[in-house]
Amino acid sequence: MEIFDVVIIGAGPAGLNAAKILGDAGKKVLLLEKNEKIGPKICAGGLTRKSKKYLNLPDSLIEKKFSSIIFKSPRAKTKILLDKDYFFLVDREKMGQWQLKQINTQNVSVRVKSRVSKISNDTLLINGEEKIGFRYLIGADGSVSFVRRHLGLPTKLWGVAIQYLVPLKNCTDLEIHFDSHSFGPWYAWIFPHHDYVSVGYGYPAKALMPKKIDPIRAKEGFEKWARKNNIALEGATIQSFPINCDFRGYKFGNIYLAGDAAGLVSGFTGEGIYQALVSGEEIANLILDPKYKPELIRRVLRERSWHHLLLRIVYYVGPLRNPIFDLVTLGVRIKLLGRTLIRILS
């Protein structure tokens, strides 16, 4: 049985980042990915400025960059113009492959089509037959995490995001739409990639809201909104993905959880890439130095707490929600307010 210093399950942003740091430090690492290829993921492909800055992602991997964003509510519309690019669109496959190339392959073994079927304290079973030993295990395997289930952690705070990949090429603006009748306390987005536009929406789960949102009604509300905005959904590819917002810790003995598996996604914005990158780094540093203080994870958790508080406030205002959306959309025309909101969101 081969034994590794660290086994990482899941080659998304968190797993790849942890593998890079640990490999550069000379650790013997095994990075496992259940899919055939590293990188592709159902995702709207949006990056905030802090994620791009963290990755130092080359411009060649950026599909589009935005120094403006449109906010739209039922009775107001504002286009915020910024002094620099704050939002970016990427192809997740290309981003994953770029991260993969940064890894020290002398110390890190990467395997695809490798599904973990059993975990014990210091061993795991791959594809039901191969036994591997480890000193540390990192679960970076997404919202529906096998490692999380092994640890017996429930997932009650969750949400769902749905996107339609519409074959439009004449869309140029990045837009966020608020409409209580269509999306409740959440929002819809329009992200114009090169060859298609991601038009999507999401809704938080029952544990974040006192009343569960009916997915059928949410879909009907979205389609009605799309017709109202002259967005033809016929022929579009429909995708959905869960959002795990249920953080219950990231260290469990010699097993760690990172990114979506740890429930670090913001239930307010749906952002998860930055949280994944940061947690991958912090966990790697903790493995290298048990006395390391993970300040970046603490910042992410503080921001996440504020986001969830805002989400609950938006929910509880009920019939006042749309008037508040209108006020916010009008208010961001004031440069200071607009830029402050963008900094909070990005």
Side-chain angles (χ1 to χ4, degrees):
M1 181 180 68
E2 190 170 6
I3 300 175
F4 291 84
D5 293 322
V6 185
V7 173
I8 304 170
I9 303 176
L16 289 163
N17 204 29
K20 179 185 184 307
I21 293 168
L22 291 165
D24 288 347
K27 295 295 182 181
K28 183 181 179 183
V29 179
L30 175 61
L31 177 62
L32 300 173
E33 171 57 50
K34 66 181 179 181
N35 296 315
E36 293 184 3
K37 195 170 185 179
I38 288 173
K41 183 180 179 180
I42 297 175
C43 174
L47 275 187
T48 57
R49 65 187 171 96
K50 59 188 177 185
S51 297
K52 182 181 182 295
K53 182 179 179 181
Y54 180 98
L55 280 169
N56 195 23
L57 207 62
D59 286 341
S60 60
L61 292 181
I62 302 297
E63 283 194 349
K64 290 190 178 181
K65 55 183 69 175
F66 299 89
S67 59
S68 65
I69 181 172
I70 291 176
F71 284 94
K72 193 172 181 180
S73 64
R75 285 173 291 275
K77 178 180 177 180
T78 297
K79 185 171 186 176
I80 303 175
L81 301 176
L82 304 162
D83 55 355
K84 61 180 71 175
D85 296 322
Y86 270 74
F87 295 96
F88 308 86
L89 294 180
V90 296
D91 181 307
R92 285 297 301 272
E93 179 177 337
K94 291 179 181 178
M95 188 181 100
Q97 288 294 311
W98 179 83
Q99 277 193 273
L100 181 62
K101 290 177 182 177
Q102 314 306 310
I103 289 176
N104 183 338
T105 54
Q106 289 186 333
N107 297 325
V108 181
S109 301
V110 181
R111 300 189 194 179
V112 296
K113 295 191 288 187
S114 299
R115 185 180 293 272
V116 175
S117 48
K118 187 177 180 180
I119 301 172
S120 65
N121 290 334
D122 55 6
T123 61
L124 53 81
L125 200 63
I126 302 174
N127 296 331
E129 54 185 25
E130 183 182 4
K131 196 173 183 181
I132 293 292
F134 61 83
R135 290 182 60 218
Y136 298 97
L137 177 68
I138 300 176
D141 48 340
S143 293
V144 189
S145 168
F146 183 82
V147 181
R148 186 183 179 99
R149 293 199 301 273
H150 162 74
L151 291 169
L153 301 176
T155 303
K156 296 181 179 180
L157 297 174
W158 59 275
V160 176
I162 296 115
Q163 68 174 352
Y164 290 65
L165 306 184
V166 183
L168 295 174
K169 295 185 180 181
N170 58 349
C171 182
T172 58
D173 290 317
L174 187 148
E175 302 181 23
I176 300 294
H177 290 245
F178 301 99
D179 186 342
S180 178
H181 299 304
S182 299
F183 316 117
W186 238 46
Y187 62 92
W189 67 82
I190 298 177
F191 287 0
H193 290 259
H194 279 317
D195 299 320
Y196 68 92
V197 178
S198 167
V199 184
Y201 68 104
Y203 54 90
K206 182 178 180 181
L208 277 171
M209 302 291 99
K211 183 178 180 181
K212 186 177 180 180
I213 295 175
D214 183 353
I216 302 299
R217 290 186 63 184
K219 183 174 183 291
E220 291 173 349
F222 171 76
E223 292 175 347
K224 182 179 179 181
W225 166 85
R227 288 192 297 270
K228 182 179 177 181
N229 286 273
N230 298 315
I231 299 173
L233 299 177
E234 294 77 11
T237 300
I238 306 174
Q239 299 176 334
S240 65
F241 45 98
I243 299 173
N244 179 11
C245 313
D246 198 346
F247 177 76
R248 294 175 184 265
Y250 57 88
K251 185 179 187 304
F252 306 87
N254 65 335
I255 299 178
Y256 294 82
L257 291 175
D260 294 12
L264 289 171
V265 181
S266 166
F268 186 58
T269 66
E271 182 184 11
I273 294 177
Y274 178 74
Q275 293 89 326
L277 293 167
V278 163
S279 58
E281 174 192 347
E282 297 282 71
I283 287 169
N285 286 331
L286 275 170
I287 289 173
L288 295 172
D289 178 10
K291 295 181 180 179
Y292 177 80
K293 295 182 180 180
E295 182 57 35
L296 290 176
I297 286 184
R298 291 172 187 166
R299 290 181 191 173
V300 164
L301 290 173
R302 285 197 297 269
E303 183 179 84
R304 176 182 169 279
S305 297
W306 279 107
H307 282 189
H308 288 187
L309 175 62
L310 286 171
L311 181 62
R312 288 187 172 96
I313 290 172
V314 172
Y315 177 86
Y316 278 112
V317 296
L320 296 176
R321 198 178 298 139
N322 270 345
I324 289 175
F325 288 156
D326 290 332
L327 285 173
V328 170
T329 303
L330 291 170
V332 294
R333 293 179 182 178
I334 302 171
K335 286 186 178 181
L336 179 60
L337 292 179
R339 290 175 180 176
T340 300
L341 177 61
I342 294 302
R343 288 190 181 98
I344 291 172
L345 296 178
S346 65

